[in-house]
Amino acid sequence: MSDRPAMVLDHVTKIYRVGLLGRTSLRALDDVSLCVEPGEIFGLVGPNRAGKTTLVKLLLSLCAPTHGVIERLGQPAHSRASLARVGYVHENHAFPRYLSARALLEYYGALSLLSETVVKQRVPALLERVALADRSDEPISRFSKGMVQRLGMAQALINDPELLVLDEPSEGLDLSGRQLLREVMAEQRRAGRTVLYVSHLLHEIEQVCDRIGVLVAGRLRFFGPAGALTTDVATGVTRTLEQALEPIYHSTN
Amino acid sequence: MDSPQIIYVLRWLVRDTFRQSRTTRIFWIMLGFSALCVVFCLGLSVEGGDNLRPDGDFLIDPKTNEPIAGPARDLGTLRLFFGAFRVSLARDRESAVQHVEVILASWVAGAIGLLVTLVWTAGFIPEALQPASATVLFAKPAPRGLFLVGKYLAVTLLVAFQASVFFAGTWLALGLRTGVWSAGYLAGVPLLVVHFAAIYSVSALLAVSTGSTIACALGSILFWALCLAVNLGRDAAIALPVVAPTMPPLSAFTATLIDAAYWILPKPADLVMILERALNADTYMATLSSLPEMAAARTSWSPEASIATAVGFSAITLGYACRMLGKKDY
């Protein structure tokens, strides 16, 4: 594993062209700079339409920045090679419903450029890990939302990622699913790997993240340990992250 | 990426597309329709007609320019639907069977089959490129272009599979029942696949640019009609001084424009004529190429160039679609 930052955004701006002729512009991210170190669990929070998913997409090369530079695992984001060391859990997976869980993991393993032997080795263990081993040959169409989400986690771990990107992964997960998610993040931390965790579950963010970033209207309003927001250094008074974020979410500057 | 990795990814994309197709009803309907055609061929037989040559001089051997017509010594009967219908032969046994093969290849497979296949497969790529599914796929290191090429190849292979079942099944059934084994009929498989691949490349491009299944289906059918119109129009333009000498000639600009469009676009009519030629259809039926409008253009016609244009067009269109997909924001 490299000692270089797991992700770097340097003055990144993303403007979408919308409308019939693309004449209207939508500034989804505005001059965002941040650096996440290897082994860190970094939480990204913000109200709806704050630009969190855009930041994730930029990091995963799903779209290109309008301005600025992005590095992923020490390499420029436009180089796809480093994606082989990244896992991604989407908030709302739409997997091909005709595939079985096993076939899906084998398929996604192939797209992760893993060898057939490695895929065959990892798939049973992963299915076991996400508690889908007994349903591995059933079509995904018969799965509940929570099961699909757990399968989504398995596909993200198929390449044993150095950087795990979780975009609202708790969506549809039951208690055991959330427990599994916490265990996965803890395992990543123990292995010295990085996690980018995007969520609205602020108490969970507060519990597991080393540092957080707060995005509001495309701008990074805070970047640092959650404790810096929840504890008033001068008075020693503590408050919840939700209370601390409320004025930031509603600020206009 | 090295070659084994590319092959491994492509293999998975093909496997996935075949799985996807098996979940659609049309896959089974098409196989069922092929089976019906095989049953139709099994129910077809020819009695007599071995030496039949109708009187008259309209049957000329195109190679020797000698008449091959002669007195009808053994008037045969074509029996359809296991003998339920009988048709007196106006051709000898081999020609009668080949005539059925031309109809099966050009009309059943080449027109109806192709149309149904274009509509059926129109949704395959747009469905895979929907943001909810594509975001996870494109967050994998396999290039987006490889994904699109893989899907395109997979759909083309799927059509090759369906075409092979249809052509091989009907060829075997006709051969077993009539003893006529026309190897040229099997040329219908690659010709149909090349034809489909050229039109489907436009469907792939529309899938990337619009993401709409309806746009892909309508767009590819309209494009097919455009190609056919340009192909026939160009042949007619060449034949104009021959078939209508009193008409004023086309302007140089119009002639160049039609010629350019003809050489750039796939040529559906040419591909039909290649198949007709493979089945020696000129000797026993009025073919597309025997029409006066076509005949003049056929003097300098190269079947290889027609096939190469279709393949080249597919490659360029697909390359452009890959480039567009590579730059698309998800």
Side-chain angles (χ1 to χ4, degrees):
Chain A
M1 245 177 297
S2 154
D3 289 335
R4 301 184 70 178
M7 55 182 268
V8 177
L9 276 79
D10 187 11
H11 297 287
V12 172
T13 296
K14 176 66 186 175
I15 300 169
Y16 289 109
R17 296 277 159 205
V18 292
L20 196 61
L21 299 170
R23 284 186 179 168
T24 316
S25 61
L26 177 72
R27 193 173 283 261
L29 277 190
D30 190 4
D31 198 28
V32 171
S33 297
L34 57 85
C35 174
V36 177
E37 297 301 329
E40 191 175 350
I41 298 186
F42 174 67
L44 190 62
V45 296
N48 291 332
R49 301 180 64 85
K52 303 184 295 294
T53 298
T54 297
L55 190 148
V56 166
K57 286 179 177 178
L58 287 166
L59 180 68
L60 297 169
S61 303
L62 291 167
C63 55
T66 311
H67 304 291
V69 178
I70 302 168
E71 275 188 21
R72 182 180 55 225
L73 297 170
Q75 290 183 10
H78 58 76
S79 147
R80 296 189 71 83
S82 59
L83 284 173
R85 296 181 283 142
V86 177
Y88 172 43
V89 179
H90 190 258
E91 61 182 305
N92 200 1
H93 286 286
F95 295 131
R97 295 172 66 78
Y98 47 86
L99 290 179
S100 67
R102 183 189 304 279
L104 182 106
L105 291 185
E106 288 175 358
Y107 176 32
Y108 281 33
L111 292 175
S112 299
L113 308 184
L114 298 172
S115 76
E116 201 168 355
T117 325
V118 171
V119 172
K120 295 270 183 208
Q121 275 171 0
R122 285 186 188 170
V123 167
L126 276 172
L127 287 167
E128 195 71 51
R129 182 78 189 85
V130 298
L132 289 173
D134 55 336
R135 310 283 297 266
S136 59
D137 294 315
E138 273 183 42
I140 296 170
S141 56
R142 291 192 205 152
F143 283 14
S144 67
K145 194 174 179 192
M147 288 164 76
V148 170
Q149 206 59 13
R150 275 188 275 154
L151 185 59
M153 228 181 301
Q155 66 79 27
L157 297 172
I158 187 98
N159 55 344
D160 201 12
E162 283 176 41
L163 170 61
L164 182 62
V165 180
L166 307 168
D167 189 0
E168 300 190 29
S170 311
E171 189 78 24
L173 283 180
D174 57 11
L175 280 176
S176 63
R178 288 186 187 189
Q179 180 60 33
L180 171 72
L181 182 65
R182 278 193 289 271
E183 284 171 17
V184 167
M185 282 196 276
E187 280 165 17
Q188 291 289 114
R189 188 204 293 273
R190 279 197 296 277
R193 287 149 190 246
T194 315
V195 177
L196 167 59
Y197 184 28
V198 182
S199 179
H200 288 293
L201 303 175
L202 298 178
H203 62 281
E204 218 161 274
I205 289 273
E206 195 176 356
Q207 277 175 12
V208 300
C209 295
D210 302 307
R211 286 193 292 174
I212 64 166
V214 182
L215 271 178
V216 180
R219 303 194 73 175
L220 190 66
R221 300 299 173 106
F222 174 80
F223 179 65
L229 278 177
T230 53
T231 310
D232 189 324
V233 184
T235 61
V237 175
T238 57
R239 50 189 176 167
T240 64
L241 186 58
E242 193 174 339
Q243 288 167 331
L245 288 177
E246 206 179 330
I248 302 177
Y249 278 15
H250 293 104
S251 65
T252 47
N253 299 319
Chain B
M1 277 182 82
D2 51 19
S3 311
Q5 271 180 330
I6 291 173
I7 291 167
Y8 182 47
V9 172
L10 288 178
R11 222 175 68 201
W12 259 104
L13 287 165
V14 170
R15 203 187 286 186
D16 174 60
T17 307
F18 270 74
R19 276 193 177 124
Q20 183 182 4
S21 73
R22 285 204 308 267
T23 61
T24 63
R25 224 177 271 170
I26 300 179
F27 177 85
W28 301 105
I29 291 174
M30 285 181 80
L31 276 186
F33 185 72
S34 292
L36 270 181
C37 289
V38 170
V39 172
F40 168 78
C41 293
L42 283 172
L44 185 149
S45 60
V46 181
E47 282 176 358
D50 288 332
N51 302 310
L52 180 68
R53 289 282 182 256
D55 289 330
D57 59 359
F58 66 90
L59 277 175
I60 303 290
D61 187 325
K63 291 186 188 98
T64 61
N65 217 25
E66 292 290 320
I68 54 174
R73 287 199 296 268
D74 180 12
L75 191 64
T77 308
L78 185 68
R79 297 175 61 174
L80 300 169
F81 299 106
F82 300 96
F85 295 95
R86 289 159 181 264
V87 181
S88 290
L89 285 184
R91 303 173 174 86
D92 62 77
R93 169 194 290 269
E94 192 178 345
S95 301
V97 175
Q98 285 182 332
H99 188 206
V100 171
E101 288 176 338
V102 170
I103 292 169
L104 286 173
S106 346
W107 288 101
V108 179
I112 301 167
L114 196 65
L115 185 71
V116 170
T117 310
L118 282 173
V119 174
W120 169 42
T121 54
F124 281 43
I125 297 179
E127 201 179 298
L129 297 182
Q130 287 307 310
S133 25
T135 42
V136 178
L137 287 172
F138 294 159
K140 305 284 180 199
R144 292 182 188 187
L146 182 64
F147 179 81
L148 185 65
V149 169
K151 271 277 168 195
Y152 172 84
L153 282 179
V155 172
T156 309
L157 279 176
L158 187 64
V159 173
F161 166 74
Q162 289 276 4
S164 301
V165 170
F166 177 86
F167 278 90
T170 48
W171 179 73
L172 268 174
L174 285 172
L176 288 171
R177 291 291 289 160
T178 64
V180 177
W181 300 94
S182 317
Y185 178 61
L186 296 176
V189 177
L191 284 172
L192 190 75
V193 172
V194 166
H195 196 165
F196 172 81
I199 310 296
Y200 193 64
S201 63
V202 174
S203 189
L205 182 63
L206 289 169
V208 172
S209 53
T210 68
S212 154
T213 299
I214 294 171
C216 292
L218 284 179
S220 54
I221 290 167
L222 285 175
F223 178 72
W224 186 24
L226 170 78
C227 292
L228 191 64
V230 167
N231 194 167
L232 296 175
R234 187 257 187 180
D235 286 352
I238 289 179
L240 200 61
V242 180
V243 294
T246 53
M247 275 187 72
L250 294 174
S251 71
F253 175 74
T254 311
T256 309
L257 197 68
I258 293 173
D259 225 32
Y262 171 79
W263 282 111
I264 290 168
L265 297 173
K267 303 161 186 55
D270 283 10
L271 296 176
V272 170
M273 283 186 255
I274 294 171
L275 185 69
E276 287 177 347
R277 196 179 265 197
L279 285 168
N280 296 318
D282 281 341
T283 59
Y284 51 82
M285 64 184 280
T287 59
L288 194 58
S289 51
S290 64
L291 294 172
E293 290 84 354
M294 300 291 128
R298 294 303 120 193
T299 51
S300 60
W301 177 51
S302 157
E304 294 81 7
S306 290
I307 293 172
T309 315
V311 174
F313 178 87
S314 312
I316 291 168
T317 310
L318 192 64
Y320 184 64
C322 288
R323 192 165 175 268
M324 200 187 260
L325 183 63
K327 291 184 170 182
K328 193 170 179 172
D329 276 354
Y330 269 92

